């Protein structure tokens, strides 16, 4: 029988979620209450499914998002999630059919980029995505850190309070707006995100209420929030507990320092796991002994797919001044072409370059990899992933694209 790829209707919703849970190797049965909660994610036309004999065998969801470009501009993104193919229907091109349909619709809507978090590295490069941010997790050995165990609060006049989920839903969105506008690679958080991450809405059957702490500056302004959990690990009649950070956002280094210091000062806590942080996070250097913060995970994180080269390159800022002609190769025909970029700290313009000779030739996925300033075109040229048409062009491009701080996406979606 022919497998039909189409948009999901309300009547398909339960079957689509059964296929989603099956693809993620989770218990495939959802209660009526869980299904009702998940309906909050239902947006007409943004869920796709592959159906074989009336049964859903592949899933795909996209939703509206904003991603912060270098310089703080908020760029419209087509965020992709919930991608699965049932084991009985793998290697039949179902993901390709769903991806092509969704990206074409995003291009038609006018989205500048597509975004996703890749569960497996090899899959998404063939659809024009490239890893644009990376993430690092540290585990802090608190007794080794050199911090004063007698610490009882910030020394800058600010203070830390424990709050509950309702407080976080009130305080978090405004703070996150401040943080994400200053952090290239950060993405928008919907009201539903705050509800899910504070237990007001529950997709699954099990919810463990975390602890929440807020840092307020000396003037009383909320400048930092953290969500964390703890295990219960005792041996030899001594506590050896770990504080596991779900997420931590801070608008200032002082707020960040105070929250990490708080986590390392909790009685019975001997380890702190940082959760997903930027690779150049300040955490290790808040400690008298930075070696107490050991890297326990480092991986690619936010993947980007450029859908509109002109708008993507004009949206970001550049620290240097220069002109480049880029030959962008896009096998799917969504964003390829030859473009001239004129950039300076005052702004940038990008337009089709006509018959001008290219300085660099690169795949659209490689352009996505350098768009947020994290990767080096010199490195990519050495790897054979970018071709210099003019000698020295990659180094010239690095002077424009690279940034002083690394991009970071705090969220998974």
């Amino acid at each position: 029988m022919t497998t039909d790829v189409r948009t999901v209707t309300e009547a398909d919703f339960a079957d689509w979620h059964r296929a989603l849970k099956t693809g993620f190797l989770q218990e495939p049965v959802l209660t009526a209450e869980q299904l009702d909660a998940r309906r909050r994610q239902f947006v007409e036309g943004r869920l796709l499914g592959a159906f074989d004999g009336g049964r859903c065998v592949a899933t795909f969801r996209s939703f509206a998002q904003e991603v912060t470009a270098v310089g703080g501009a908020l760029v419209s993104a087509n965020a992709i999630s919930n991608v699965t193919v049932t084991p009985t229907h793998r290697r039949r091109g179902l993901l390709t059919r769903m991806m092509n349909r969704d990206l074409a619709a995003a291009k038609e809507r006018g989205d500048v980029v597509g975004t996703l978090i890749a569960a497996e590295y090899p899959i998404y490069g063939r659809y024009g995505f490239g890893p644009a941010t990376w993430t690092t997790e540290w585990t802090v050995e608190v007794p080794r850190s050199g911090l004063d165990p007698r610490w009882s609060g910030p020394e800058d006049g600010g203070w830390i309070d424990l709050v509950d989920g309702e407080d976080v839903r009130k305080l978090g969105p405004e703070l996150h707006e401040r943080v994400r506008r200053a952090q290239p690679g950060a993405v928008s958080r919907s009201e539903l995100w705050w509800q899910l991450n504070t237990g007001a809405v529950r997709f699954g059957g099990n919810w463990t209420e975390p602890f929440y702490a807020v840092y307020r500056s000396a003037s009383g302004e909320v400048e930092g929030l953290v969500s964390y959990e703890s295990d219960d690990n005792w041996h030899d009649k001594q506590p050896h507990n770990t504080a596991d950070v779900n997420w931590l956002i801070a608008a200032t280094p002082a707020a960040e320092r105070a929250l990490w210091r708080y986590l390392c000062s909790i009685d019975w806590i001997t380890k702190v796991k940082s959760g997903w942080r930027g690779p150049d996070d300040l955490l290790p250097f808040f400690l008298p002994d930075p070696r107490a913060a050991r890297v326990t995970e480092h991986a690619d994180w936010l993947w980007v797919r450029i859908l509109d080269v002109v708008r993507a390159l004009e949206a970001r800022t550049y620290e240097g001044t220069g002109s480049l002609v880029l030959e962008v190769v896009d096998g799917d025909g969504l964003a390829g072409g030859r473009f001239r970029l004129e950039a300076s700290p005052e702004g940038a313009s990008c337009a089709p370059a006509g018959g001008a000779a290219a300085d660099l030739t690169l795949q659209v996925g490689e352009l996505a990899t350098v768009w947020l300033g994290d990767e080096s075109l010199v490195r990519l040229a050495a790897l054979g992933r970018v071709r210099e048409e003019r000698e020295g062009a990659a180094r010239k491009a690095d002077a424009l694209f690279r940034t002083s701080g690394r991009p970071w996406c705090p969220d998974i979606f």
Side-chain angles (χ1 to χ4, degrees):
M1 298 180 65
T2 301
T3 303
D4 180 30
V5 171
R6 58 177 173 81
T7 57
V8 172
T9 66
E10 175 61 34
D12 302 318
F13 200 65
D15 188 35
W16 186 90
H17 271 92
R18 177 201 49 75
L20 174 67
K21 300 278 278 184
T22 298
F24 285 146
L25 299 178
Q26 300 170 352
E27 182 182 1
V29 177
L30 283 85
T31 67
E33 183 180 11
Q34 290 168 346
L35 271 176
D36 188 55
R38 288 173 178 267
R39 281 188 174 87
R40 295 169 183 258
Q41 286 187 323
F42 183 82
V43 177
E44 190 83 32
R46 299 300 290 266
L47 272 68
L48 297 176
F51 294 83
D52 187 356
R55 182 182 179 89
C56 187
V57 294
T59 63
F60 191 107
R61 180 174 72 92
S62 67
F63 59 95
Q65 186 186 73
E66 290 177 334
V67 60
T68 305
V70 177
L74 304 181
V75 173
S76 62
N78 176 66
I80 294 169
S81 186
N82 296 154
V83 177
T84 73
V85 176
T86 301
T88 55
H89 286 69
R90 63 199 300 268
R91 302 295 183 264
R92 301 188 189 184
L94 298 182
L95 173 55
T96 297
R97 290 170 64 186
M98 293 187 296
M99 182 69 76
N100 289 346
R101 179 167 176 163
D102 183 74
L103 290 180
K107 175 78 172 180
E108 180 68 22
R109 276 195 308 271
D111 289 328
V112 178
V113 298
T115 58
L116 55 82
I117 308 292
E120 298 178 67
Y121 193 101
I123 294 175
Y124 294 99
R126 65 179 184 264
Y127 302 114
F129 286 84
T133 78
W134 290 68
T135 189
T136 303
E137 180 187 69
W138 283 271
T139 297
V140 177
E141 302 286 345
V142 176
R144 180 184 171 182
S145 67
L147 294 168
D148 184 351
R150 298 168 298 175
W151 186 87
S152 60
E155 297 85 5
D156 58 4
W159 69 95
I160 292 173
D161 290 323
L162 287 176
V163 294
D164 61 21
E166 184 178 359
D167 295 319
V168 171
R169 290 190 294 275
K170 293 175 182 176
L171 302 174
E174 189 278 332
L175 173 64
H176 179 258
E177 279 300 301
R178 293 169 57 199
V179 171
R180 70 143 173 158
R181 288 173 182 270
Q183 178 57 63
V187 297
S188 51
R189 290 179 178 177
S190 65
E191 180 183 358
L192 180 58
W193 188 97
W194 292 100
Q195 293 172 337
L196 285 170
N197 283 272
T198 56
V201 174
R202 304 180 186 182
F203 281 1
N206 297 320
W207 166 258
T208 300
E209 186 74 16
F211 301 100
Y212 306 103
V214 58
Y215 168 84
R216 291 182 170 88
S217 67
S219 64
E221 186 174 8
V222 172
E223 293 189 346
L225 273 171
V226 62
S227 166
Y228 65 97
E229 301 172 24
S230 174
D231 62 6
D232 185 18
N233 180 23
W234 286 65
H235 56 83
D236 297 330
K237 300 195 75 172
Q238 292 292 320
H240 297 274
N241 294 354
T242 298
D244 204 334
V245 173
N246 298 317
W247 50 265
L248 184 153
I249 55 173
T252 65
E256 193 173 349
R257 180 193 297 272
L259 289 173
W260 288 123
R261 186 65 183 90
Y262 161 76
L263 291 165
C264 291
S265 72
I266 300 171
D267 287 340
W268 297 2
I269 294 298
T270 60
K271 291 184 180 180
V272 175
K273 294 183 68 174
S274 71
W276 302 308
R277 307 300 300 170
D280 57 350
D281 197 84
L282 297 174
L283 168 59
F285 302 100
F286 287 142
L287 309 175
D289 184 352
R291 293 183 185 178
R294 176 171 50 91
V295 173
T296 47
E297 185 174 356
H298 178 72
D300 55 282
W301 199 242
L302 182 72
W303 287 58
V304 170
R305 207 288 184 199
I306 303 292
L307 296 171
D308 188 323
V309 172
V310 170
R311 291 168 65 202
L313 294 185
E314 289 185 342
R316 58 157 291 172
T317 58
Y318 301 84
E319 295 184 7
T321 299
S323 175
L324 281 172
V325 176
L326 304 174
E327 182 74 32
V328 180
V329 180
D330 186 350
D332 294 324
L334 293 172
R338 187 170 296 181
F339 303 90
R340 181 184 297 279
L341 172 67
E342 301 280 353
S344 75
E346 286 71 44
S349 64
C350 182
D359 296 307
L360 292 170
T361 298
L362 69 169
Q363 297 286 331
V364 68
E366 312 304 343
L367 181 62
T369 294
V370 302
W371 178 57
L372 290 174
D374 200 38
E375 186 52 271
S376 161
L377 284 144
V378 171
R379 279 166 45 97
L380 295 178
L383 291 166
R385 291 163 53 184
V386 168
R387 186 171 72 244
E388 281 191 320
E389 308 295 353
R390 295 183 190 273
E391 186 177 355
R395 187 170 299 279
K396 177 182 177 182
D398 268 357
L400 294 178
F401 278 87
R402 297 300 295 276
T403 56
S404 55
R406 299 186 69 175
W408 172 49
C409 178
D411 294 345
I412 189 169
F413 54 88

